[in-house]
Amino acid sequence: MKVNPTKNNTIRSYVKREGRLTASQEVALDTYWDKHGIDFSHVVINLEELYKRRAPLVLDIGVGTGDTTHTHALAHPENNYLAIEVHRPGVGQLLNKIESNNLTNIKISNDDVLDVLQEQIPDDSITQVFIFFPDPWPKKRHHKRRLINKPLIDLIKKKIRAHGRLHIATDWQAYAKHIQKLCDADPQLISLAGNDGISCPRPEWRINTRYESRGLRLQHNVWEFCYGFSRNT
Ligand SMILES: C[S@@+](CC[C@H](N)C(=O)[O-])C[C@H]1O[C@@H](n2cnc3c(N)ncnc32)[C@H](O)[C@@H]1O
């Protein structure tokens, strides 16, 4: 696993508190990274070469322990998946899940999604994007760290295919309002919300992760967004 040389003083949406890797995560990173991991580089990836086939690409941003990516990839062998997560313990967990299920349709990046999208992902290549329970950064002075902001949305729009889907879920009301305002103001993002105009129905395939469970334990609501991408407006 190589270190991303582009890291600089940009405001990041995460703080690297590595914590301790468990023995099993460490073994997974040592043993399986070369098989399923993508090192950072300034070269655009040839997706067909990487996955050894041509298939719809699903991007899961900030996957945590990778449960959603893994469950979705198991259910949809016809798709390719790219999981992006900056914390190595989560990457180790996902590597173990990939190996125990012999999955060949998931690749993992351990770098900041902004760098990966900007440098490594071809334009017009993604069919679905998941951003589930992004860190809420609730304090006002930390709002600048929120992952979902105009630069990320603009990058996603460059990389997503026409008619691609962007799915977002959050359990923070203020973040939900910010996301809705940002995306609704963008004429290329067509909200697929229900009648209340706010929240989409929960997709039946979106599993409950520990981040969502924690929110529900705290009696938070969950706001669900789904946008279709149109290049013509
Ligand atoms: C609250 S967790 C949610 C995990 C998962 N999506 C879920 O629903 O269970 C947010 C994750 O996003 C990751 N993250 C934050 N900023 C990121 C970035 N710029 N690039 C990649 N991952 C990021 C964090 O490390 C964290 O694991």
Side-chain angles (χ1 to χ4, degrees):
M1 194 182 260
K2 292 185 196 135
V3 175
N4 176 352
T6 67
K7 295 264 188 284
N8 51 32
N9 291 329
T10 319
I11 296 165
R12 301 278 172 186
S13 57
Y14 53 90
V15 177
K16 277 232 172 173
R17 270 184 242 96
E18 185 76 348
R20 285 240 319 264
L21 288 166
T22 64
S24 140
Q25 291 160 1
E26 202 159 343
V27 170
L29 286 160
D30 287 345
T31 319
Y32 307 132
W33 176 258
D34 286 348
K35 196 165 157 197
H36 308 292
I38 303 170
D39 285 318
F40 182 79
S41 90
H42 295 281
V43 178
V44 176
I45 296 168
N46 179 328
L47 293 170
E48 213 172 316
E49 238 169 55
L50 178 71
Y51 292 94
K52 302 195 172 53
R53 65 174 186 169
R54 192 184 289 205
L57 180 65
V58 180
L59 175 69
D60 194 354
I61 299 176
V63 303
T65 54
D67 291 320
T68 301
T69 328
H70 160 248
T71 309
H72 212 269
L74 255 180
H76 293 279
E78 73 280 11
N79 292 336
N80 291 335
Y81 291 79
L82 175 56
I84 306 190
E85 174 52 58
V86 285
H87 283 288
R88 293 202 320 145
V91 171
Q93 288 188 55
L94 180 53
L95 284 169
N96 276 327
K97 288 170 195 148
I98 293 172
E99 274 296 308
S100 39
N101 289 286
N102 289 318
L103 289 174
T104 55
N105 60 340
I106 303 181
K107 298 288 175 194
I108 312 178
S109 160
N110 183 218
D111 284 287
D112 189 320
V113 62
L114 289 172
D115 296 334
V116 178
L117 280 174
Q118 211 147 23
E119 303 286 332
Q120 295 185 278
I121 306 299
D123 290 354
D124 235 352
S125 62
I126 301 172
T127 53
Q128 288 193 76
V129 178
F130 303 161
I131 315 178
F132 295 141
F133 301 93
D135 299 306
W137 293 107
K139 291 184 181 148
K140 195 155 188 200
R141 69 173 190 278
H142 290 149
H143 285 184
K144 56 183 181 287
R145 286 187 173 275
R146 284 179 171 168
L147 176 66
I148 303 181
N149 53 24
K150 189 151 169 28
L152 178 72
I153 296 292
D154 285 346
L155 258 179
I156 289 175
K157 288 197 310 173
K158 265 181 88 180
K159 306 298 167 177
I160 203 165
R161 294 193 151 172
H163 312 299
R165 293 272 166 100
L166 168 62
H167 296 272
I168 302 173
T170 179
D171 63 326
W172 282 84
Q173 185 171 26
Y175 203 2
K177 282 187 178 159
H178 160 81
I179 293 164
Q180 189 190 13
K181 198 168 162 199
L182 180 71
C183 295
D184 283 0
D186 192 316
Q188 291 186 308
L189 295 178
I190 314 299
S191 171
L192 306 174
N195 292 338
D196 64 1
I198 300 171
S199 199
C200 279
R202 180 195 180 112
E204 81 291 346
W205 47 262
R206 192 172 69 66
I207 60 159
N208 198 329
T209 64
R210 79 186 168 95
Y211 292 97
E212 178 168 17
S213 301
R214 192 185 54 186
L216 294 175
R217 267 199 314 277
L218 294 169
Q219 306 204 315
H220 291 176
N221 285 327
V222 172
W223 286 266
E224 204 91 43
F225 299 94
C226 179
Y227 290 90
F229 175 60
S230 157
R231 212 170 273 298
N232 299 325
T233 37

